[in-house]
Amino acid sequence: QSVLTQPPSVSGAPGQRVTISCTGSSSNVGAGYDVHWYQHLPETAPKLLIYGNINRPSGVPDRFSGSKSGTSASLAITGLQPEDEAVYYCQSYDSSLSAVVFGGGTKLTVL
Amino acid sequence: EVQLVESGGGLVKPGGSLRLSCAASGFTFRNAWMSWVRQTPGKGLEWVGRIKSRDDGGTTDHAAPVQGRFTISRDDSKDTLFLQMDSLKTEDTGVYYCATCNNTKYYMDVWGKGITVTVSS
């Protein structure tokens, strides 16, 4: 059971928009700690996609966007492309655990 | 180019030890906070621990499942990060990644390709 809760899977057709939710609690997301998102393709290193809730590192397309409200955060992907098929993880910090925490990951399937 | 390359993985019996290394290049390693993250079979990413830069105290934090068994250290003269893993359990099997760690927001921005550790009799 992960500290941050994500749906196990989402799917969408090419060109569509999908969102991935990340629900935390008062000791992590709700306590004001930032949420970050990673894209993980098989047999590759995870890639930072969004940091500080809404910021994109250089090179990440603006099709990817993040938001945060209360104890939850979301990752939105617009204009879905086949190469977006991957597992997406949210991450934050938990003050009760004094630890970095990840969501369980969401498998995105591009139909 | 910023690069992290892990080494030292392999097969080890339960109760055994293994030492992972992570060679850094392309950035000022001594100023960086560094983390280890793992992915165990069938599961997602799991934070293993973090070490601060020497200037920020050089202290370490380890996740509860590995506390007392794993130790993170660094050799700034060799731009290398280490993960000493003792009393290994089968559930420690997985791919281990080293990553740079932002010192205020706790995100990992540069990752190595990972190294496989298998704990099995």
Side-chain angles (χ1 to χ4, degrees):
Chain A
Q1 197 85 5
S2 300
V3 174
L4 304 179
T5 302
Q6 299 180 234
S9 64
V10 297
S11 62
Q16 284 190 333
R17 177 181 186 271
V18 296
T19 61
I20 299 173
S21 61
C22 174
T23 302
S25 67
S26 59
S27 61
N28 42 67
V29 182
Y33 292 103
D34 285 353
V35 176
H36 321 292
W37 293 90
Y38 302 88
Q39 179 190 59
H40 195 194
L41 295 161
E43 310 299 322
T44 68
K47 173 186 175 183
L48 179 66
L49 212 56
I50 298 287
Y51 67 95
N53 305 315
I54 61 171
N55 304 292
R56 283 186 309 276
S58 174
V60 173
D62 59 7
R63 301 187 296 106
F64 296 90
S65 63
S67 63
K68 176 191 166 185
S69 179
T71 58
S72 296
S74 290
L75 173 70
I77 309 172
T78 59
L80 267 181
Q81 299 181 2
E83 56 264 36
D84 296 334
E85 195 161 281
V87 179
Y88 293 83
Y89 293 92
C90 61
Q91 177 247 304
S92 187
Y93 181 82
D94 191 285
S95 57
S96 295
L97 299 172
S98 295
V100 168
V101 291
F102 285 93
T106 299
K107 167 69 175 167
L108 168 63
T109 301
V110 181
L111 302 170
Chain B
E1 178 192 5
V2 176
Q3 195 171 15
L4 298 170
V5 179
E6 301 92 341
S7 62
L11 174 64
V12 60
K13 289 182 168 53
S17 297
L18 210 55
R19 189 194 198 200
L20 303 185
S21 299
C22 170
S25 60
F27 64 101
T28 307
F29 179 77
R30 66 177 182 274
N31 293 339
W33 290 27
M34 300 295 297
S35 283
W36 286 98
V37 177
R38 68 184 180 185
Q39 181 177 26
T40 51
K43 296 185 180 180
L45 299 177
E46 179 184 21
W47 181 72
V48 173
R50 177 190 62 209
I51 185 167
K52 298 179 179 180
S53 64
R54 183 177 180 179
D55 283 350
D56 288 324
T59 54
T60 57
D61 293 289
H62 298 83
V66 307
Q67 182 76 43
R69 301 187 299 121
F70 290 12
T71 304
I72 297 173
S73 63
R74 63 192 299 159
D75 185 340
D76 292 341
S77 70
K78 296 181 179 179
D79 291 348
T80 302
L81 176 73
F82 301 103
L83 178 64
Q84 177 66 41
M85 303 185 292
D86 299 319
S87 303
L88 281 161
K89 304 176 181 179
T90 55
E91 52 263 42
D92 294 319
T93 294
V95 178
Y96 285 72
Y97 301 94
C98 66
T100 58
C101 177
N102 181 270
N103 60 2
T104 55
K105 301 290 188 180
Y106 310 111
Y107 60 84
M108 277 64 75
D109 44 3
V110 178
W111 296 65
K113 293 184 177 181
I115 193 79
T116 299
V117 171
T118 304
V119 184
S120 175
S121 55

